[in-house]
Amino acid sequence: MSEPGHLKLHPGLNPEPFSCTIDDVEEAEDGTWATLDRTFFYPSGGGQPADHGTLSDGVNELRVVNVTGKGGVRHQLEYCEAIDEMRGVDLQATIDIERRNELCRMHTAQHLISAVADEFWGGRTVGNQIRLDCTRIDLGFENRDLFDSDMLQQSVNEYVKADLPVFMDFQERGVLVQNPLVRVNMDLIPKHIDNLRVITIEGVDICPCAGTHVESTGQIGQIEIGRIRSKGAGKLRVEYTLND
Ligand SMILES: [Zn+2]
């Protein structure tokens, strides 16, 4: 069973190709799923879709079209007759960089939007769906009438312009709960996890997160807030796109 390697290595933009072997192939109703001896593909989760990519033995190429992390990382492969002969041999895995980079940018923008919503209006991020074209975040407010989408867009874009460092490290739960830049409810993170992977946007936000991120906010580029919709009492669904 392989662990999600991206948590420590290749966690962001331009992940490098890596060598691996296929340990196991499972034919399921929903497709062909492979377990690798090691992997840096991002498995879908936390509102962020999976990495795509390829596995190659130099002759044949398998396409990775989905990755899931439940019970060990498994890679959904487009069916190819060569799968059997590619088991157990050295392969080169290549993560689709364009897709990964776009998702890193969208996802890090979500950290900024969640931070600004919390800072200005006490907004809690209660859900999100990161996508390549248009991402949505659900925010819950005590008083949602105070929310101002122009102000949100402007503040996020100022943080983008400031090109603030974004970095990853591991921190103890006891330290995190005392830091005011940690905006998420730490009670929602399973109690048995003491050492958490944390993403820091310098001076703005500290967030336990397993996703993929850019290295500085300037790499996100300017964002544009789109449609705002009501999602029930006190809740708003905010959509945004990236300006390339
Ligand atoms: Zn994140």
Side-chain angles (χ1 to χ4, degrees):
M1 182 172 92
S2 61
E3 302 292 325
H6 82 281
L7 292 174
K8 291 185 175 159
L9 253 185
H10 309 311
L13 299 176
N14 306 314
E16 287 175 19
F18 61 93
S19 58
C20 62
T21 55
I22 295 175
D23 278 349
D24 190 37
V25 177
E26 184 191 336
E27 294 292 347
E29 263 181 30
D30 60 348
T32 304
W33 295 84
T35 305
L36 308 178
D37 65 333
R38 64 177 197 145
T39 183
F40 299 97
F41 282 90
Y42 179 75
S44 62
Q48 182 178 338
D51 279 333
H52 290 174
T54 56
L55 305 176
S56 169
D57 64 0
V59 180
N60 304 297
E61 191 171 87
L62 301 170
R63 290 179 51 76
V64 176
V65 293
N66 194 11
V67 184
T68 176
K70 292 186 189 104
V73 183
R74 294 183 309 137
H75 308 71
Q76 187 178 12
L77 305 175
E78 225 171 57
Y79 182 76
C80 166
E81 280 183 0
I83 287 179
D84 283 342
E85 63 187 88
M86 291 172 76
R87 286 178 69 156
V89 303
D90 288 339
L91 302 177
Q92 173 163 284
T94 305
I95 295 171
D96 178 337
I97 282 183
E98 202 178 319
R99 178 181 170 87
R100 161 71 80 94
N101 288 0
E102 204 67 2
L103 291 169
C104 287
R105 293 170 65 212
M106 274 292 195
H107 181 98
T108 315
Q110 179 259 306
H111 282 237
L112 283 178
I113 290 171
S114 295
V116 169
D118 176 58
E119 190 71 39
F120 288 171
W121 309 290
R124 291 163 293 108
T125 298
V126 293
N128 64 61
Q129 184 59 59
I130 313 277
R131 287 183 31 190
L132 291 167
D133 50 352
C134 176
T135 288
R136 63 177 201 229
I137 303 182
D138 292 336
L139 298 167
F141 301 92
E142 288 269 311
N143 180 0
R144 73 178 195 187
D145 295 339
L146 298 176
F147 175 79
D148 178 337
S149 68
D150 289 342
M151 197 169 162
L152 175 63
Q153 179 174 307
Q154 193 186 335
S155 302
V156 168
N157 284 336
E158 275 168 15
Y159 285 137
V160 167
K161 222 168 158 188
D163 200 19
L164 304 168
V166 179
F167 53 90
M168 172 192 95
D169 64 358
F170 288 80
Q171 296 188 31
E172 296 297 321
R173 175 189 286 268
V175 175
L176 287 169
V177 291
Q178 293 177 33
N179 193 320
L181 288 185
V182 178
R183 301 164 195 279
V184 296
N185 181 356
M186 294 290 294
D187 291 338
L188 297 178
I189 295 167
K191 293 274 184 287
H192 67 277
I193 308 177
D194 265 338
N195 194 27
L196 295 143
R197 182 192 198 244
V198 171
I199 303 302
T200 299
I201 301 177
E202 199 168 88
V204 179
D205 187 54
I206 298 175
C207 186
C209 183
T212 62
H213 307 84
V214 299
E215 287 157 21
S216 70
T217 55
Q219 292 170 329
I220 298 168
Q222 299 282 293
I223 67 144
E224 194 170 317
I225 303 292
R227 201 157 46 144
I228 312 284
R229 274 182 294 166
S230 170
K231 288 304 284 180
K235 272 201 265 175
L236 292 174
R237 174 163 290 176
V238 176
E239 294 184 349
Y240 65 94
T241 52
L242 300 175
N243 285 341
D244 284 305

